[in-house]
Amino acid sequence: PSTIVNLLVFSGADPVRDISVIWDVIQPIDCNGKLPCYYSVRWQDATSGTSGHTAQLSNNNYTVSGLSPGAVVTVSVQAVSSDSRQGPESHNTIRLPEAPSKKVDITQAVSQSSSEILVKWLDIPKDFFNGAKVGYNVSWFPLSSPNDFSSKQVWSGSVLEAHLTGLWPMTRYNISVAAVSSGGTGPATTIERSTRPAPLLQVTIRAQAQRVTVTFPAILSNVMNCVNVTAVALVTQPWATGVNHSICNASETSVNIPNLEEFTMYQLVAEQRPTDQSPKSLAYARVSATQNVTTLSAAPSKKVDN
């Protein structure tokens, strides 16, 4: 039989553990007979020393599975005629990709607000990718709730930073960055950073004679919280008492506190309180605002005597 031509070896279905081999079919006329050739395939893993062989293969393709990432494999294929005469061997060698072998150097991780952290890092050298460069994987989770795990991919290019958004206020996060190649994900570099406290509730207070209306932004719809408003008289008077009102409906944006004493200074405390004890709910519940307000005097009920 004649020599195998166009012997190609490339990564298979599992690009770090499988290889696929394909070659041109030997025609019967080139197999010194009227019958088609069979094929004999041998492979040798120079990294681990393992090898394999198959004979009388009728197809012009073969798959080797179960190799190790980074393996250097040489494949030899020869045609065999129906009367067992063997043609010359053709050879090809491939090195399977493997995961990057170097950790990423994180240069900056800064909390930019109560819900954002900016992370920057240095590009690892090309030789440490051990395969085609894909990019970087960034993952994070709050230490108080590891199951609330998030991740994002930063693909190849000049961008070496990730803007993490939607974080919980005043919460410490575990942040990891790892290089990714065609051979997998490399070792991660991990740091911890905390977000800033949530901003105070921006409340608007309108005082009347015996009523105060407190208006505030709608409750965050993705957090199970209530807004609780307490009014306590700052001047000690027998008839001036503290009152408390709460709402837990995200569509409501104001609380009316009635039955107050006229011309009395009250301290109003607006707090976002959790309706459950989840770490996310508790993080947002730290939001509060305190303001003092004086109720107005009621209009005189009697005309002035001339």
Side-chain angles (χ1 to χ4, degrees):
S2 59
T3 303
I4 297 291
V5 296
N6 292 330
L7 175 61
L8 302 178
V9 182
F10 49 92
S11 292
D14 183 343
V16 298
R17 297 186 181 277
D18 300 345
I19 60 173
S20 294
V21 187
I22 191 170
W23 56 91
D24 285 355
V25 173
I26 298 290
Q27 300 299 322
I29 193 173
D30 296 320
C31 203
N32 293 333
K34 296 181 179 180
L35 298 175
C37 277
Y38 292 102
Y39 303 100
S40 174
V41 180
R42 302 175 187 274
W43 60 269
Q44 175 77 38
D45 182 352
T47 307
S48 65
T50 57
S51 61
H53 172 242
T54 183
Q56 292 193 337
L57 185 69
S58 58
N59 298 324
N60 65 319
N61 59 80
Y62 187 69
T63 298
V64 181
S65 302
L67 301 170
S68 300
V72 178
V73 183
T74 298
V75 179
S76 302
V77 181
Q78 66 180 164
V80 181
S81 66
S82 58
D83 56 357
S84 300
R85 286 178 292 175
Q86 299 178 347
E89 285 189 327
S90 294
H91 310 278
N92 204 340
T93 300
I94 186 175
R95 181 177 184 228
L96 289 176
E98 58 184 323
S101 55
K102 189 179 188 304
K103 284 189 172 184
V104 174
D105 291 327
I106 297 178
T107 59
Q108 184 179 4
V110 179
S111 174
Q112 295 191 310
S113 71
S114 61
S115 62
E116 301 169 294
I117 293 178
L118 177 64
V119 184
K120 295 184 178 183
W121 60 89
L122 297 177
D123 202 4
I124 69 171
K126 180 180 179 181
D127 292 344
F128 289 98
F129 271 95
N130 300 326
K133 178 181 177 181
V134 174
Y136 294 88
N137 184 74
V138 184
S139 60
W140 63 95
F141 62 85
L143 297 183
S144 57
S145 184
N147 290 332
D148 287 297
F149 180 90
S150 301
S151 66
K152 68 188 306 182
Q153 285 70 45
V154 179
W155 305 123
S156 295
S158 59
V159 178
L160 297 172
E161 65 181 47
H163 196 198
L164 313 184
T165 60
L167 308 180
W168 307 346
M170 205 172 176
T171 300
R172 194 157 187 83
Y173 277 83
N174 177 294
I175 304 170
S176 298
V177 182
V180 182
S181 74
S182 56
T185 302
T189 299
T190 301
I191 60 170
E192 292 182 5
R193 289 294 185 274
S194 297
T195 51
R196 299 177 187 176
L200 295 179
L201 285 174
Q202 299 299 311
V203 299
T204 302
I205 299 174
R206 186 167 62 91
Q208 297 174 336
Q210 294 179 300
R211 176 188 298 271
V212 171
T213 300
V214 181
T215 304
F216 45 85
I219 304 172
L220 294 173
S221 59
N222 63 336
V223 183
M224 291 298 294
N225 274 238
C226 298
V227 169
N228 187 77
V229 180
T230 303
V232 178
L234 294 181
V235 179
T236 304
Q237 299 182 37
W239 59 86
T241 57
V243 293
N244 184 292
H245 281 259
S246 296
I247 64 169
C248 298
N249 189 338
S251 64
E252 297 183 38
T253 58
S254 65
V255 171
N256 285 312
I257 303 180
N259 304 321
L260 301 181
E261 297 299 326
E262 64 180 34
F263 203 58
T264 301
M265 179 177 287
Y266 285 87
Q267 183 180 73
L268 297 181
V269 180
E271 293 181 298
Q272 222 167 285
R273 294 182 178 273
T275 54
D276 59 51
Q277 295 300 306
S278 68
K280 184 175 183 179
S281 181
L282 291 172
Y284 281 97
R286 299 187 180 104
V287 179
S288 64
T290 301
Q291 290 190 34
N292 294 340
V293 63
T294 301
T295 53
L296 304 179
S297 297
S301 58
K302 185 178 183 300
K303 290 185 177 182
V304 177
D305 294 330
N306 290 330

